[in-house]
Amino acid sequence: NYAGDQAIKRSIGAAVKSSGGIRPDADISAIKVIRNGQVFNMDLRGMLTGEKVPSMTLMAGDHVHVPSTHSFNDQLARPSQLTAPGIRVFMSNLTQPASSNSQSAVDREATRFPYGTRLLNGAIAANCVGGAQSTNASRYVILVTKNPLSNEIDIVERSIDGLIQSAWNDQSNPVLLPGDGLACYDSRVTNMREIARTVTELVVPTTLIGWL
């Protein structure tokens, strides 16, 4: 029997969550608590399935180790007692460069999503999807993410059309991780339109000067 804040704030789940939460490669069936040289093995899979889990109140000096399975499990990337309630993702969706953050609607806070949000949902939130189908559907999105297994930066490029058609595929539509970046690029039609507009802006003034 415990009183005060011990039962809530000094549990293993609370400690893991306050430290950033488990990653998609975590092995929550083999969590270790090391206390004064003694190792306690804890299986916390029940926190995701609703089954009974072992309880242990942490003390000062305890060390909690969550091993890695060295492979991703998308089932772990969702709100739970062991994960952060949400993640921050940084976005860019500009047809033309903006002269200020307010003009491009970029606030001081990054866009926040529930943990488990996938790339297509992030692209929709960034307004990459929608508009005229013949001109906007050919856009593509770039995902900049840090692989927690290799600690290297991975660049993932997906066309919006392909992403919508293969939204069910976990490989094509990956889970967003904290600190990921999304950038949307326009279709060839929009690019050609911008090129034509730039040429017009250069040619028309030159022609007017010739007339003068």
Side-chain angles (χ1 to χ4, degrees):
N1 296 323
Y2 298 100
D5 63 353
Q6 289 181 323
I8 298 177
K9 297 183 179 179
R10 293 174 61 184
S11 66
I12 299 176
V16 172
K17 190 170 185 176
S18 64
S19 64
I22 58 172
R23 304 186 318 196
D25 62 309
D27 186 358
I28 60 176
S29 67
I31 296 178
K32 293 179 174 58
V33 178
I34 305 173
R35 174 180 297 171
N36 296 326
Q38 187 176 2
V39 179
F40 301 89
N41 295 316
M42 311 293 289
D43 185 349
L44 299 185
R45 288 177 294 181
M47 286 190 172
L48 300 181
T49 62
E51 299 175 358
K52 185 178 180 180
V53 296
S55 61
M56 183 177 183
T57 301
L58 298 177
M59 300 174 60
D62 286 353
H63 176 73
V64 180
H65 174 67
V66 183
S68 173
T69 60
H70 304 290
S71 62
F72 274 19
N73 180 7
D74 289 347
Q75 297 299 321
L76 298 180
R78 63 180 179 86
S80 70
Q81 299 179 64
L82 295 174
T83 56
I87 62 174
R88 289 183 177 181
V89 175
F90 300 88
M91 293 182 175
S92 174
N93 180 16
L94 299 177
T95 297
Q96 295 180 343
S99 59
S100 66
N101 284 339
S102 59
Q103 180 181 347
S104 60
V106 177
D107 201 353
R108 295 179 59 185
E109 295 292 329
T111 301
R112 300 183 179 183
F113 294 118
Y115 194 29
T117 300
R118 294 190 175 271
L119 177 57
L120 178 58
N121 299 89
I124 293 174
N127 291 323
C128 295
V129 184
Q133 185 174 3
S134 59
T135 58
N136 287 3
S138 298
R139 304 187 79 192
Y140 60 96
V141 58
I142 298 289
L143 170 63
V144 182
T145 183
K146 184 177 181 180
N147 191 324
L149 298 179
S150 62
N151 288 325
E152 296 182 352
I153 300 298
D154 292 336
I155 307 297
V156 178
E157 179 180 328
R158 296 284 187 272
S159 69
I160 297 299
D161 274 345
L163 190 58
I164 293 175
Q165 294 173 4
S166 60
W168 56 270
N169 190 325
D170 295 344
Q171 297 296 326
S172 299
N173 190 20
V175 171
L176 299 179
L177 298 178
D180 281 356
L182 293 179
C184 304
Y185 288 88
D186 289 311
S187 64
R188 293 182 179 179
V189 175
T190 305
N191 291 335
M192 293 299 297
R193 183 185 64 191
E194 293 301 318
I195 293 175
R197 180 181 299 175
T198 301
V199 172
T200 301
E201 292 176 351
L202 293 175
V203 172
V204 171
T206 304
T207 304
L208 292 177
I209 293 176
W211 287 348
L212 294 176

